[in-house]
Amino acid sequence: MTIRMGVFAALAASLAFASSAFAETITVGAYPSNPPWEYKTESGAFEGFEIDVARDVAKRLGMDIEFQDLGFQALFAATSSGRIDFAISSISITSERLQNQSFTQPYYDSDGTIVGREDSTVTTLEQLDGKPIGVVAATTGEAWAKENAEKYGISDIRSYSAQQDLLMDVRAGRIEGGAGEIAGFQYAMTQVPGLKLLVRIPTGERFAMMTRKDHPLLERVNDAVSAMKEDGSMAAIHKKWFGVDPEAGTSTVEKMPIPKPE
């Protein structure tokens, strides 16, 4: 009887531990003024591309998830101190950041692009020769256009204060296209029909989940990201937020290793 009671007690303790481990919470920090990556609804709920990614990761790990509202710069101190487990907010993997932080494999290639009308025949940057394009003032798109206008023979660079105004001029045919960051245009195109991406401009910038060095969950979270790519979940999240399937060969669909510092 004593032996049996001891066995039952051990089994009960084991089940209690397993239940506790299953219900463990992963804490994710986010800067929620960053649509479509992360933002808050009127009710205060977190939504966005990376919110969906993080929720799917937590589900695959059998964990609850808690989001913390933080400023972008505060995310780095919060991961380093252990206040949060992971951070999201279109955080680029860089050699400098890898010296002090760790990242999962990337899940989005944040390249530049030229957006144009659906009937545009432009498929290369060289075909912008003699054509006017638009940019939003003080953006990376404007910097790229000014740097490359002579190289590609761009006839005119028109500056806009709002992306919506630029896209309306593209759709009306007043300019051949608009130069800018691909994610912003993809998201805007879900609201403005009649447009398409003409040319992708590789920059090497990629987004991932960031954490402190040697976080015990890093490998498991990275494996979950791999599984999302393998079963199409990551691609489905991309289509939900950008209205199009991710391009073949990008980090949204290709499994990759955990980035290492150089």
Side-chain angles (χ1 to χ4, degrees), residues 76 91-94 97-98 101-105 207-211 218 222 257-259:
F76 297 85
I91 306 173
S92 299
I93 304 167
T94 68
R97 288 171 178 169
L98 283 169
Q101 307 274 356
S102 290
F103 287 83
T104 65
Q105 63 181 290
F207 300 157
M209 297 179 71
M210 182 178 72
T211 187
L218 177 59
N222 193 71
I258 292 174

Side-chain angles (χ1 to χ4, degrees), residues 4 21 23 32 34 42 52-53 64 90 98 109 124 137 140 151 201-202 208 255 261:
R4 287 184 178 178
N34 187 34
E42 291 183 2
D52 284 354
V53 171
D64 295 330
S90 57
L98 283 169
D109 295 358
T124 68
T140 54
K151 178 179 179 180
I201 307 171
K255 285 174 54 180

